Amino acid sequence: MPAGRPTKYRSEMCQVVIDLMSDGASKEEVCAELDITFDTLANWQKPENNLEFSEAITQGERLSRAWWLKHGRKNLENKSFNERLWFMNMKNRHGWADKQSLETKHSGSVDGNITVTFVGSDDVSGTEPKP
Protein backbone atom coordinates (compact mmCIF):
# COMPACT_ATOMS: atom_id res chain seq x y z
CA MET A 1 0.00 0.00 0.00
CA PRO A 2 1.35 3.47 -0.80
CA ALA A 3 2.26 5.75 2.08
CA GLY A 4 -0.51 8.05 3.28
CA ARG A 5 -3.32 7.90 5.77
CA PRO A 6 -3.58 4.87 7.98
CA THR A 7 -5.70 2.06 6.61
CA LYS A 8 -7.59 -0.78 8.21
CA TYR A 9 -6.44 -3.15 5.48
CA ARG A 10 -5.25 -6.57 6.61
CA SER A 11 -4.19 -9.39 4.31
CA GLU A 12 -6.80 -11.71 5.90
CA MET A 13 -9.44 -9.59 4.16
CA CYS A 14 -8.54 -11.27 0.87
CA GLN A 15 -9.83 -14.61 2.13
CA VAL A 16 -13.02 -12.92 3.37
CA VAL A 17 -13.54 -11.52 -0.16
CA ILE A 18 -13.05 -14.94 -1.76
CA ASP A 19 -15.25 -16.73 0.80
CA LEU A 20 -18.13 -14.27 0.42
CA MET A 21 -18.00 -13.96 -3.34
CA SER A 22 -17.68 -17.72 -3.88
CA ASP A 23 -21.17 -17.85 -2.35
CA GLY A 24 -22.49 -15.26 -4.86
CA ALA A 25 -21.90 -12.12 -2.78
CA SER A 26 -21.45 -8.72 -4.42
CA LYS A 27 -18.73 -6.17 -3.78
CA GLU A 28 -21.30 -4.16 -1.79
CA GLU A 29 -21.76 -7.13 0.53
CA VAL A 30 -17.98 -7.41 0.85
CA CYS A 31 -17.83 -3.74 1.86
CA ALA A 32 -20.46 -4.31 4.56
CA GLU A 33 -18.65 -7.35 5.92
CA LEU A 34 -15.25 -5.60 5.94
CA ASP A 35 -16.80 -2.38 7.31
CA ILE A 36 -15.33 -0.25 4.52
CA THR A 37 -16.81 2.16 2.00
CA PHE A 38 -17.15 1.31 -1.67
CA ASP A 39 -14.61 4.07 -2.41
CA THR A 40 -12.10 2.29 -0.16
CA LEU A 41 -12.74 -1.02 -1.91
CA ALA A 42 -12.34 0.66 -5.31
CA ASN A 43 -9.03 2.16 -4.18
CA TRP A 44 -7.72 -1.10 -2.71
CA GLN A 45 -8.67 -3.12 -5.78
CA LYS A 46 -6.41 -1.08 -8.07
CA PRO A 47 -3.36 -3.29 -8.73
CA GLU A 48 -0.99 -0.36 -8.28
CA ASN A 49 -2.43 0.27 -4.80
CA ASN A 50 -2.80 -3.30 -3.52
CA LEU A 51 -2.01 -6.20 -5.84
CA GLU A 52 -3.02 -8.84 -3.28
CA PHE A 53 -6.49 -7.35 -2.76
CA SER A 54 -6.91 -6.66 -6.48
CA GLU A 55 -6.29 -10.32 -7.27
CA ALA A 56 -8.74 -11.39 -4.55
CA ILE A 57 -11.47 -9.15 -6.01
CA THR A 58 -10.78 -10.44 -9.55
CA GLN A 59 -11.02 -14.03 -8.34
CA GLY A 60 -14.08 -13.17 -6.24
CA GLU A 61 -15.91 -11.63 -9.20
CA ARG A 62 -15.24 -14.77 -11.26
CA LEU A 63 -16.48 -16.99 -8.43
CA SER A 64 -19.59 -14.86 -7.86
CA ARG A 65 -20.51 -14.96 -11.57
CA ALA A 66 -20.01 -18.74 -11.56
CA TRP A 67 -22.22 -19.12 -8.47
CA TRP A 68 -25.05 -17.17 -10.09
CA LEU A 69 -24.71 -19.01 -13.41
CA LYS A 70 -24.79 -22.37 -11.64
CA HIS A 71 -27.83 -21.28 -9.62
CA GLY A 72 -29.68 -20.46 -12.86
CA ARG A 73 -28.56 -23.65 -14.60
CA LYS A 74 -29.50 -25.89 -11.67
CA ASN A 75 -32.99 -24.37 -11.48
CA LEU A 76 -33.98 -24.50 -15.15
CA GLU A 77 -36.64 -27.14 -14.48
CA ASN A 78 -37.73 -25.81 -11.08
CA LYS A 79 -41.28 -24.47 -11.57
CA SER A 80 -41.01 -22.15 -8.57
CA PHE A 81 -37.73 -20.60 -9.80
CA ASN A 82 -38.21 -16.95 -10.71
CA GLU A 83 -36.19 -16.75 -13.91
CA ARG A 84 -37.13 -13.10 -14.50
CA LEU A 85 -35.75 -12.09 -11.15
CA TRP A 86 -32.63 -14.17 -11.80
CA PHE A 87 -32.16 -12.56 -15.22
CA MET A 88 -32.62 -9.04 -13.80
CA ASN A 89 -30.01 -9.90 -11.19
CA MET A 90 -27.59 -11.04 -13.89
CA LYS A 91 -28.20 -7.86 -15.87
CA ASN A 92 -27.60 -5.63 -12.85
CA ARG A 93 -24.86 -7.59 -11.13
CA HIS A 94 -22.91 -8.93 -14.10
CA GLY A 95 -23.65 -6.53 -16.95
CA TRP A 96 -25.86 -8.79 -19.01
CA ALA A 97 -28.07 -7.07 -21.57
CA ASP A 98 -31.01 -7.88 -23.77
CA LYS A 99 -29.99 -8.44 -27.37
CA GLN A 100 -29.98 -5.15 -29.22
CA SER A 101 -30.34 -4.80 -32.95
CA LEU A 102 -29.96 -1.85 -35.24
CA GLU A 103 -31.68 -1.46 -38.56
CA THR A 104 -31.23 1.49 -40.85
CA LYS A 105 -32.70 2.40 -44.19
CA HIS A 106 -31.03 4.69 -46.64
CA SER A 107 -31.98 5.72 -50.10
CA GLY A 108 -29.66 7.53 -52.42
CA SER A 109 -25.93 7.30 -52.83
CA VAL A 110 -23.15 7.56 -50.32
CA ASP A 111 -19.70 8.82 -51.24
CA GLY A 112 -16.85 7.73 -49.00
CA ASN A 113 -16.95 5.60 -45.86
CA ILE A 114 -19.58 5.34 -43.19
CA THR A 115 -18.49 4.69 -39.61
CA VAL A 116 -20.95 3.25 -37.12
CA THR A 117 -20.13 3.52 -33.44
CA PHE A 118 -21.96 1.42 -30.89
CA VAL A 119 -22.40 3.35 -27.67
CA GLY A 120 -23.08 1.68 -24.33
CA SER A 121 -21.78 -1.78 -25.02
CA ASP A 122 -18.32 -3.26 -25.16
CA ASP A 123 -19.68 -6.50 -26.55
CA VAL A 124 -20.84 -6.11 -30.13
CA SER A 125 -20.28 -9.73 -31.06
CA GLY A 126 -22.68 -11.13 -33.56
CA THR A 127 -23.08 -7.80 -35.33
CA GLU A 128 -21.39 -8.80 -38.56
CA PRO A 129 -23.25 -7.40 -41.56
CA LYS A 130 -25.31 -9.85 -43.54
CA PRO A 131 -24.22 -10.33 -47.17
Side-chain angles (χ1 to χ4, degrees):
M1 301 280 304
R5 344 188 298 212
T7 180
K8 40 166 121 174
Y9 177 77
R10 295 176 320 281
S11 61
E12 308 86 65
M13 292 176 163
C14 293
Q15 191 59 51
V16 173
V17 167
I18 292 167
D19 291 345
L20 287 170
M21 295 184 89
S22 67
D23 199 30
S26 66
K27 288 195 273 186
E28 289 82 0
E29 291 174 277
V30 168
C31 288
E33 184 69 26
L34 297 179
D35 192 26
I36 60 173
T37 66
F38 198 81
D39 287 342
T40 297
L41 182 136
N43 185 44
W44 289 356
Q45 79 176 21
K46 293 176 185 171
E48 63 272 15
N49 291 344
N50 188 328
L51 184 59
E52 176 185 41
F53 193 79
S54 176
E55 289 173 348
I57 289 291
T58 299
Q59 181 180 0
E61 287 176 319
R62 182 179 52 80
L63 293 168
S64 180
R65 255 189 318 277
W67 187 92
W68 283 100
L69 287 167
K70 183 178 182 180
H71 189 70
R73 178 176 54 82
K74 293 276 190 174
N75 281 287
L76 283 176
E77 296 180 15
N78 179 350
K79 300 251 187 257
S80 64
F81 181 65
N82 188 335
E83 73 279 353
R84 287 183 183 175
L85 182 60
W86 178 82
F87 183 63
M88 290 299 294
N89 177 71
M90 296 305 287
K91 287 170 64 171
N92 291 318
R93 186 182 294 253
H94 299 294
W96 283 22
D98 293 319
K99 183 177 179 180
Q100 306 266 333
S101 63
L102 173 67
E103 185 177 319
T104 63
K105 293 182 181 181
H106 176 77
S107 59
S109 63
V110 175
D111 294 328
N113 294 326
I114 297 175
T115 302
V116 177
T117 304
F118 293 91
V119 178
S121 176
D122 292 333
D123 180 14
V124 291
S125 60
T127 59
E128 293 294 320
K130 293 180 182 172

